[in-house]
PDB file of all heavy atoms in Angstrom:
ATOM      1  N   ALA V  28     -56.175  25.621 -25.715  1.00  0.00           N
ATOM      2  CA  ALA V  28     -57.507  25.814 -26.277  1.00  0.00           C
ATOM      3  C   ALA V  28     -57.697  27.266 -26.711  1.00  0.00           C
ATOM      4  O   ALA V  28     -58.342  27.533 -27.717  1.00  0.00           O
ATOM      5  CB  ALA V  28     -58.576  25.429 -25.254  1.00  0.00           C
ATOM      6  N   GLU V  29     -57.123  28.195 -25.946  1.00  0.00           N
ATOM      7  CA  GLU V  29     -57.228  29.627 -26.245  1.00  0.00           C
ATOM      8  C   GLU V  29     -55.902  30.299 -25.921  1.00  0.00           C
ATOM      9  O   GLU V  29     -55.264  29.953 -24.936  1.00  0.00           O
ATOM     10  CB  GLU V  29     -58.285  30.304 -25.368  1.00  0.00           C
ATOM     11  CG  GLU V  29     -59.682  29.859 -25.535  1.00  0.00           C
ATOM     12  CD  GLU V  29     -60.609  30.564 -24.542  1.00  0.00           C
ATOM     13  OE1 GLU V  29     -60.428  31.777 -24.290  1.00  0.00           O
ATOM     14  OE2 GLU V  29     -61.496  29.893 -24.010  1.00  0.00           O
ATOM     15  N   LEU V  30     -55.534  31.276 -26.725  1.00  0.00           N
ATOM     16  CA  LEU V  30     -54.382  32.121 -26.439  1.00  0.00           C
ATOM     17  C   LEU V  30     -54.724  33.523 -26.912  1.00  0.00           C
ATOM     18  O   LEU V  30     -54.944  33.737 -28.106  1.00  0.00           O
ATOM     19  CB  LEU V  30     -53.116  31.614 -27.143  1.00  0.00           C
ATOM     20  CG  LEU V  30     -51.866  32.464 -26.919  1.00  0.00           C
ATOM     21  CD1 LEU V  30     -51.469  32.502 -25.438  1.00  0.00           C
ATOM     22  CD2 LEU V  30     -50.718  31.961 -27.772  1.00  0.00           C
ATOM     23  N   ASP V  31     -54.812  34.448 -25.963  1.00  0.00           N
ATOM     24  CA  ASP V  31     -55.116  35.846 -26.268  1.00  0.00           C
ATOM     25  C   ASP V  31     -53.925  36.698 -25.866  1.00  0.00           C
ATOM     26  O   ASP V  31     -53.548  36.730 -24.693  1.00  0.00           O
ATOM     27  CB  ASP V  31     -56.361  36.314 -25.507  1.00  0.00           C
ATOM     28  CG  ASP V  31     -57.614  35.594 -25.942  1.00  0.00           C
ATOM     29  OD1 ASP V  31     -57.811  35.465 -27.161  1.00  0.00           O
ATOM     30  OD2 ASP V  31     -58.384  35.155 -25.067  1.00  0.00           O
ATOM     31  N   VAL V  32     -53.327  37.367 -26.843  1.00  0.00           N
ATOM     32  CA  VAL V  32     -52.164  38.216 -26.609  1.00  0.00           C
ATOM     33  C   VAL V  32     -52.626  39.668 -26.569  1.00  0.00           C
ATOM     34  O   VAL V  32     -53.338  40.122 -27.465  1.00  0.00           O
ATOM     35  CB  VAL V  32     -51.100  38.024 -27.714  1.00  0.00           C
ATOM     36  CG1 VAL V  32     -49.884  38.891 -27.447  1.00  0.00           C
ATOM     37  CG2 VAL V  32     -50.710  36.552 -27.822  1.00  0.00           C
ATOM     38  N   HIS V  33     -52.214  40.369 -25.517  1.00  0.00           N
ATOM     39  CA  HIS V  33     -52.565  41.773 -25.322  1.00  0.00           C
ATOM     40  C   HIS V  33     -51.281  42.538 -25.000  1.00  0.00           C
ATOM     41  O   HIS V  33     -50.936  42.722 -23.832  1.00  0.00           O
ATOM     42  CB  HIS V  33     -53.570  41.934 -24.174  1.00  0.00           C
ATOM     43  CG  HIS V  33     -54.798  41.106 -24.348  1.00  0.00           C
ATOM     44  ND1 HIS V  33     -55.856  41.509 -25.114  1.00  0.00           N
ATOM     45  CD2 HIS V  33     -55.122  39.871 -23.868  1.00  0.00           C
ATOM     46  CE1 HIS V  33     -56.794  40.575 -25.091  1.00  0.00           C
ATOM     47  NE2 HIS V  33     -56.368  39.574 -24.353  1.00  0.00           N
ATOM     48  N   GLY V  34     -50.558  42.938 -26.031  1.00  0.00           N
ATOM     49  CA  GLY V  34     -49.296  43.647 -25.811  1.00  0.00           C
ATOM     50  C   GLY V  34     -48.279  42.741 -25.159  1.00  0.00           C
ATOM     51  O   GLY V  34     -47.914  41.694 -25.688  1.00  0.00           O
ATOM     52  N   GLY V  35     -47.824  43.135 -23.960  1.00  0.00           N
ATOM     53  CA  GLY V  35     -46.808  42.375 -23.237  1.00  0.00           C
ATOM     54  C   GLY V  35     -47.368  41.341 -22.285  1.00  0.00           C
ATOM     55  O   GLY V  35     -46.643  40.791 -21.456  1.00  0.00           O
ATOM     56  N   THR V  36     -48.668  41.057 -22.399  1.00  0.00           N
ATOM     57  CA  THR V  36     -49.319  40.063 -21.552  1.00  0.00           C
ATOM     58  C   THR V  36     -50.135  39.132 -22.449  1.00  0.00           C
ATOM     59  O   THR V  36     -50.683  39.566 -23.461  1.00  0.00           O
ATOM     60  CB  THR V  36     -50.258  40.745 -20.535  1.00  0.00           C
ATOM     61  OG1 THR V  36     -49.504  41.666 -19.745  1.00  0.00           O
ATOM     62  CG2 THR V  36     -50.910  39.735 -19.611  1.00  0.00           C
ATOM     63  N   ALA V  37     -50.216  37.870 -22.070  1.00  0.00           N
ATOM     64  CA  ALA V  37     -51.021  36.910 -22.827  1.00  0.00           C
ATOM     65  C   ALA V  37     -51.701  35.963 -21.847  1.00  0.00           C
ATOM     66  O   ALA V  37     -51.166  35.665 -20.775  1.00  0.00           O
ATOM     67  CB  ALA V  37     -50.155  36.125 -23.795  1.00  0.00           C
ATOM     68  N   ILE V  38     -52.882  35.520 -22.227  1.00  0.00           N
ATOM     69  CA  ILE V  38     -53.654  34.584 -21.412  1.00  0.00           C
ATOM     70  C   ILE V  38     -53.824  33.304 -22.221  1.00  0.00           C
ATOM     71  O   ILE V  38     -54.311  33.331 -23.348  1.00  0.00           O
ATOM     72  CB  ILE V  38     -55.023  35.171 -21.043  1.00  0.00           C
ATOM     73  CG1 ILE V  38     -54.838  36.483 -20.277  1.00  0.00           C
ATOM     74  CG2 ILE V  38     -55.838  34.166 -20.226  1.00  0.00           C
ATOM     75  CD1 ILE V  38     -56.095  37.324 -20.203  1.00  0.00           C
ATOM     76  N   GLU V  39     -53.411  32.194 -21.616  1.00  0.00           N
ATOM     77  CA  GLU V  39     -53.523  30.887 -22.257  1.00  0.00           C
ATOM     78  C   GLU V  39     -54.389  29.979 -21.391  1.00  0.00           C
ATOM     79  O   GLU V  39     -54.196  29.905 -20.176  1.00  0.00           O
ATOM     80  CB  GLU V  39     -52.138  30.265 -22.428  1.00  0.00           C
ATOM     81  CG  GLU V  39     -52.163  28.893 -23.058  1.00  0.00           C
ATOM     82  CD  GLU V  39     -50.780  28.272 -23.191  1.00  0.00           C
ATOM     83  OE1 GLU V  39     -49.778  28.878 -22.774  1.00  0.00           O
ATOM     84  OE2 GLU V  39     -50.722  27.155 -23.715  1.00  0.00           O
ATOM     85  N   ILE V  40     -55.331  29.296 -22.023  1.00  0.00           N
ATOM     86  CA  ILE V  40     -56.191  28.338 -21.338  1.00  0.00           C
ATOM     87  C   ILE V  40     -56.101  27.026 -22.098  1.00  0.00           C
ATOM     88  O   ILE V  40     -56.087  27.013 -23.330  1.00  0.00           O
ATOM     89  CB  ILE V  40     -57.656  28.818 -21.300  1.00  0.00           C
ATOM     90  CG1 ILE V  40     -57.754  30.127 -20.510  1.00  0.00           C
ATOM     91  CG2 ILE V  40     -58.577  27.751 -20.711  1.00  0.00           C
ATOM     92  CD1 ILE V  40     -59.124  30.782 -20.580  1.00  0.00           C
ATOM     93  N   GLY V  41     -56.029  25.921 -21.357  1.00  0.00           N
ATOM     94  CA  GLY V  41     -55.951  24.633 -22.031  1.00  0.00           C
ATOM     95  C   GLY V  41     -56.065  23.464 -21.077  1.00  0.00           C
ATOM     96  O   GLY V  41     -56.516  23.613 -19.943  1.00  0.00           O
ATOM     97  N   THR V  42     -55.634  22.313 -21.562  1.00  0.00           N
ATOM     98  CA  THR V  42     -55.645  21.095 -20.768  1.00  0.00           C
ATOM     99  C   THR V  42     -54.231  20.548 -20.661  1.00  0.00           C
ATOM    100  O   THR V  42     -53.374  20.829 -21.497  1.00  0.00           O
ATOM    101  CB  THR V  42     -56.563  20.020 -21.393  1.00  0.00           C
ATOM    102  OG1 THR V  42     -56.116  19.750 -22.722  1.00  0.00           O
ATOM    103  CG2 THR V  42     -58.007  20.475 -21.421  1.00  0.00           C
ATOM    104  N   TYR V  43     -54.002  19.769 -19.604  1.00  0.00           N
ATOM    105  CA  TYR V  43     -52.702  19.124 -19.449  1.00  0.00           C
ATOM    106  C   TYR V  43     -52.899  17.652 -19.174  1.00  0.00           C
ATOM    107  O   TYR V  43     -53.965  17.201 -18.753  1.00  0.00           O
ATOM    108  CB  TYR V  43     -51.875  19.778 -18.328  1.00  0.00           C
ATOM    109  CG  TYR V  43     -52.398  19.517 -16.940  1.00  0.00           C
ATOM    110  CD1 TYR V  43     -52.023  18.380 -16.234  1.00  0.00           C
ATOM    111  CD2 TYR V  43     -53.273  20.409 -16.325  1.00  0.00           C
ATOM    112  CE1 TYR V  43     -52.502  18.137 -14.967  1.00  0.00           C
ATOM    113  CE2 TYR V  43     -53.755  20.178 -15.055  1.00  0.00           C
ATOM    114  CZ  TYR V  43     -53.370  19.033 -14.379  1.00  0.00           C
ATOM    115  OH  TYR V  43     -53.853  18.796 -13.112  1.00  0.00           O
ATOM    116  N   LEU V  44     -51.831  16.897 -19.414  1.00  0.00           N
ATOM    117  CA  LEU V  44     -51.829  15.460 -19.202  1.00  0.00           C
ATOM    118  C   LEU V  44     -50.440  15.064 -18.706  1.00  0.00           C
ATOM    119  O   LEU V  44     -49.434  15.437 -19.313  1.00  0.00           O
ATOM    120  CB  LEU V  44     -52.145  14.744 -20.520  1.00  0.00           C
ATOM    121  CG  LEU V  44     -52.258  13.235 -20.507  1.00  0.00           C
ATOM    122  CD1 LEU V  44     -53.435  12.784 -19.651  1.00  0.00           C
ATOM    123  CD2 LEU V  44     -52.435  12.743 -21.934  1.00  0.00           C
ATOM    124  N   ARG V  45     -50.393  14.356 -17.582  1.00  0.00           N
ATOM    125  CA  ARG V  45     -49.121  13.860 -17.044  1.00  0.00           C
ATOM    126  C   ARG V  45     -49.134  12.341 -17.133  1.00  0.00           C
ATOM    127  O   ARG V  45     -50.097  11.690 -16.743  1.00  0.00           O
ATOM    128  CB  ARG V  45     -48.939  14.304 -15.592  1.00  0.00           C
ATOM    129  CG  ARG V  45     -48.716  15.800 -15.490  1.00  0.00           C
ATOM    130  CD  ARG V  45     -48.663  16.258 -14.067  1.00  0.00           C
ATOM    131  NE  ARG V  45     -47.377  15.926 -13.463  1.00  0.00           N
ATOM    132  CZ  ARG V  45     -47.045  16.270 -12.222  1.00  0.00           C
ATOM    133  NH1 ARG V  45     -47.887  16.928 -11.463  1.00  0.00           N
ATOM    134  NH2 ARG V  45     -45.862  15.941 -11.749  1.00  0.00           N
ATOM    135  N   ARG V  46     -48.035  11.801 -17.668  1.00  0.00           N
ATOM    136  CA  ARG V  46     -47.904  10.355 -17.833  1.00  0.00           C
ATOM    137  C   ARG V  46     -46.662   9.845 -17.107  1.00  0.00           C
ATOM    138  O   ARG V  46     -45.642  10.533 -17.059  1.00  0.00           O
ATOM    139  CB  ARG V  46     -47.781  10.001 -19.313  1.00  0.00           C
ATOM    140  CG  ARG V  46     -49.041  10.210 -20.091  1.00  0.00           C
ATOM    141  CD  ARG V  46     -48.889   9.608 -21.501  1.00  0.00           C
ATOM    142  NE  ARG V  46     -50.107   9.722 -22.240  1.00  0.00           N
ATOM    143  CZ  ARG V  46     -50.341  10.671 -23.147  1.00  0.00           C
ATOM    144  NH1 ARG V  46     -49.435  11.576 -23.418  1.00  0.00           N
ATOM    145  NH2 ARG V  46     -51.494  10.702 -23.783  1.00  0.00           N
ATOM    146  N   LEU V  47     -46.773   8.619 -16.619  1.00  0.00           N
ATOM    147  CA  LEU V  47     -45.622   7.936 -16.045  1.00  0.00           C
ATOM    148  C   LEU V  47     -44.734   7.432 -17.170  1.00  0.00           C
ATOM    149  O   LEU V  47     -45.116   7.452 -18.340  1.00  0.00           O
ATOM    150  CB  LEU V  47     -46.086   6.773 -15.164  1.00  0.00           C
ATOM    151  CG  LEU V  47     -46.899   7.162 -13.939  1.00  0.00           C
ATOM    152  CD1 LEU V  47     -47.423   5.914 -13.242  1.00  0.00           C
ATOM    153  CD2 LEU V  47     -46.046   7.991 -12.989  1.00  0.00           C
ATOM    154  N   GLN V  48     -43.571   6.956 -16.807  1.00  0.00           N
ATOM    155  CA  GLN V  48     -42.610   6.474 -17.795  1.00  0.00           C
ATOM    156  C   GLN V  48     -43.186   5.354 -18.662  1.00  0.00           C
ATOM    157  O   GLN V  48     -42.848   5.238 -19.835  1.00  0.00           O
ATOM    158  CB  GLN V  48     -41.349   5.995 -17.076  1.00  0.00           C
ATOM    159  CG  GLN V  48     -40.123   5.974 -17.927  1.00  0.00           C
ATOM    160  CD  GLN V  48     -38.871   5.839 -17.073  1.00  0.00           C
ATOM    161  OE1 GLN V  48     -38.916   5.368 -15.945  1.00  0.00           O
ATOM    162  NE2 GLN V  48     -37.755   6.259 -17.609  1.00  0.00           N
ATOM    163  N   ASP V  49     -44.101   4.554 -18.103  1.00  0.00           N
ATOM    164  CA  ASP V  49     -44.699   3.464 -18.872  1.00  0.00           C
ATOM    165  C   ASP V  49     -45.824   3.936 -19.804  1.00  0.00           C
ATOM    166  O   ASP V  49     -46.443   3.136 -20.489  1.00  0.00           O
ATOM    167  CB  ASP V  49     -45.206   2.351 -17.953  1.00  0.00           C
ATOM    168  CG  ASP V  49     -46.380   2.780 -17.080  1.00  0.00           C
ATOM    169  OD1 ASP V  49     -46.911   3.908 -17.229  1.00  0.00           O
ATOM    170  OD2 ASP V  49     -46.791   1.967 -16.225  1.00  0.00           O
ATOM    171  N   GLY V  50     -46.107   5.244 -19.809  1.00  0.00           N
ATOM    172  CA  GLY V  50     -47.127   5.807 -20.686  1.00  0.00           C
ATOM    173  C   GLY V  50     -48.506   5.929 -20.059  1.00  0.00           C
ATOM    174  O   GLY V  50     -49.403   6.525 -20.647  1.00  0.00           O
ATOM    175  N   SER V  51     -48.676   5.369 -18.860  1.00  0.00           N
ATOM    176  CA  SER V  51     -49.983   5.461 -18.204  1.00  0.00           C
ATOM    177  C   SER V  51     -50.210   6.876 -17.658  1.00  0.00           C
ATOM    178  O   SER V  51     -49.280   7.545 -17.216  1.00  0.00           O
ATOM    179  CB  SER V  51     -50.099   4.426 -17.083  1.00  0.00           C
ATOM    180  OG  SER V  51     -49.133   4.689 -16.078  1.00  0.00           O
ATOM    181  N   THR V  52     -51.443   7.313 -17.704  1.00  0.00           N
ATOM    182  CA  THR V  52     -51.807   8.650 -17.231  1.00  0.00           C
ATOM    183  C   THR V  52     -51.989   8.629 -15.725  1.00  0.00           C
ATOM    184  O   THR V  52     -52.687   7.774 -15.194  1.00  0.00           O
ATOM    185  CB  THR V  52     -53.128   9.108 -17.901  1.00  0.00           C
ATOM    186  OG1 THR V  52     -52.910   9.162 -19.304  1.00  0.00           O
ATOM    187  CG2 THR V  52     -53.563  10.462 -17.398  1.00  0.00           C
ATOM    188  N   PHE V  53     -51.362   9.591 -15.013  1.00  0.00           N
ATOM    189  CA  PHE V  53     -51.604   9.674 -13.576  1.00  0.00           C
ATOM    190  C   PHE V  53     -52.217  11.008 -13.164  1.00  0.00           C
ATOM    191  O   PHE V  53     -52.652  11.163 -12.037  1.00  0.00           O
ATOM    192  CB  PHE V  53     -50.354   9.345 -12.757  1.00  0.00           C
ATOM    193  CG  PHE V  53     -49.332  10.437 -12.676  1.00  0.00           C
ATOM    194  CD1 PHE V  53     -49.358  11.367 -11.656  1.00  0.00           C
ATOM    195  CD2 PHE V  53     -48.311  10.505 -13.603  1.00  0.00           C
ATOM    196  CE1 PHE V  53     -48.399  12.357 -11.570  1.00  0.00           C
ATOM    197  CE2 PHE V  53     -47.347  11.489 -13.526  1.00  0.00           C
ATOM    198  CZ  PHE V  53     -47.394  12.415 -12.507  1.00  0.00           C
ATOM    199  N   ASP V  54     -52.310  11.966 -14.082  1.00  0.00           N
ATOM    200  CA  ASP V  54     -52.985  13.226 -13.761  1.00  0.00           C
ATOM    201  C   ASP V  54     -53.382  13.899 -15.061  1.00  0.00           C
ATOM    202  O   ASP V  54     -52.651  13.849 -16.049  1.00  0.00           O
ATOM    203  CB  ASP V  54     -52.061  14.141 -12.947  1.00  0.00           C
ATOM    204  CG  ASP V  54     -52.753  15.392 -12.440  1.00  0.00           C
ATOM    205  OD1 ASP V  54     -53.997  15.388 -12.285  1.00  0.00           O
ATOM    206  OD2 ASP V  54     -52.048  16.381 -12.187  1.00  0.00           O
ATOM    207  N   ARG V  55     -54.548  14.521 -15.043  1.00  0.00           N
ATOM    208  CA  ARG V  55     -55.018  15.324 -16.173  1.00  0.00           C
ATOM    209  C   ARG V  55     -55.859  16.447 -15.594  1.00  0.00           C
ATOM    210  O   ARG V  55     -56.399  16.321 -14.506  1.00  0.00           O
ATOM    211  CB  ARG V  55     -55.798  14.489 -17.173  1.00  0.00           C
ATOM    212  CG  ARG V  55     -57.147  14.033 -16.673  1.00  0.00           C
ATOM    213  CD  ARG V  55     -57.978  13.268 -17.692  1.00  0.00           C
ATOM    214  NE  ARG V  55     -57.350  12.022 -18.030  1.00  0.00           N
ATOM    215  CZ  ARG V  55     -57.138  11.596 -19.285  1.00  0.00           C
ATOM    216  NH1 ARG V  55     -57.570  12.285 -20.298  1.00  0.00           N
ATOM    217  NH2 ARG V  55     -56.531  10.459 -19.519  1.00  0.00           N
ATOM    218  N   GLY V  56     -55.941  17.537 -16.343  1.00  0.00           N
ATOM    219  CA  GLY V  56     -56.753  18.641 -15.849  1.00  0.00           C
ATOM    220  C   GLY V  56     -56.738  19.821 -16.795  1.00  0.00           C
ATOM    221  O   GLY V  56     -56.376  19.705 -17.966  1.00  0.00           O
TER     222      GLY V  56
END
């Protein structure tokens, strides 16, 4: 969602999604 680069450091904010092999979602955040 956001990526701010400050020289040799960067801050990234976003969302994640984990799926099982069958494609079903088992975790998001």
Side-chain angles (χ1 to χ4, degrees):
E29 297 177 39
L30 179 62
D31 295 314
V32 181
H33 305 277
T36 302
I38 301 164
E39 179 181 1
I40 298 172
T42 58
Y43 70 87
L44 183 64
R45 291 175 77 177
R46 290 189 177 99
L47 296 174
Q48 202 165 22
D49 67 6
S51 63
T52 299
F53 77 91
D54 187 25
R55 70 176 65 230

